[in-house]
Every structure is written in C-alpha cells, then in structure tokens.
Amino acid sequence: MSVLAGLLALILVVLIAVLLFRFLKTMIALVINAIVGVIFLWLINVLNLMSIVGRPDIPINLITVLICAIGGVFGVLITVILHLLGVPLTL
C-alpha cells in the first residue's frame, strides 16, 4: 500500500507543478502586456502624438491606466480611439 500511496503523491505533485507553471506563465504574459500598454500610453503623451490630429494629450488617470493595463496594446488603441471621438475617460 505504501508504494501506491507514494505513486499517487508523486502524480499529485506533478499535476500541481504543471498547473502552477501554466498559471505563472499566463500571469507573466498578462503583466508584460500591462506594462507594454501603460508604456505606450505614456509614450503617446511624451511624444505629443495627439497634437498631430489636433487633440490634447490623453489624460493619464485611473480609468485610462486600467484600460491600457488590462488591454495592453489593444487597450491603448481603444483609449486613443475613444479620445479622438471625444469620449471623456475621467471619473
């Protein structure tokens, strides 16, 4: 019985390790995506790119940072499009 218990424990440990690896891999990808999104939002304001189309800089506040952090590059695109359409992104 102890061999069977040891084998089951080994299978359980391997299963937990695989699930933890997949979870951490996903979390690392989400964190990198969030950092890239926020950096792009910051670069748009630093390089004053919105003045090319005659709009003021995108305000960096809680809503815009959350959109860019959750959406990454696509969140930045959504924020820019909403800003160009005149949708206020403030509380």
Side-chain angles (χ1 to χ4, degrees), residues 4-85:
L4 182 62
L7 185 61
L8 287 174
L10 180 64
I11 291 171
L12 184 63
V13 167
V14 169
L15 181 66
I16 290 172
V18 168
L19 291 174
L20 186 63
F21 173 74
R22 287 188 180 181
F23 177 73
L24 288 177
K25 190 169 102 172
T26 303
M27 290 306 295
I28 290 172
L30 288 175
V31 168
I32 290 171
N33 191 27
I35 291 171
V36 168
V38 172
I39 288 173
F40 275 6
L41 177 65
W42 178 74
L43 282 174
I44 287 172
N45 284 340
V46 167
L47 298 175
N48 206 14
L49 295 178
M50 295 307 290
S51 67
I52 295 171
V53 292
R55 300 289 292 174
D57 285 339
I58 299 172
I60 296 180
N61 55 29
L62 181 63
I63 294 174
T64 56
V65 169
L66 282 176
I67 291 172
C68 294
I70 293 171
V73 176
F74 294 114
V76 173
L77 290 174
I78 290 170
T79 304
V80 168
I81 290 170
L82 289 175
H83 186 68
L84 290 174
L85 292 174

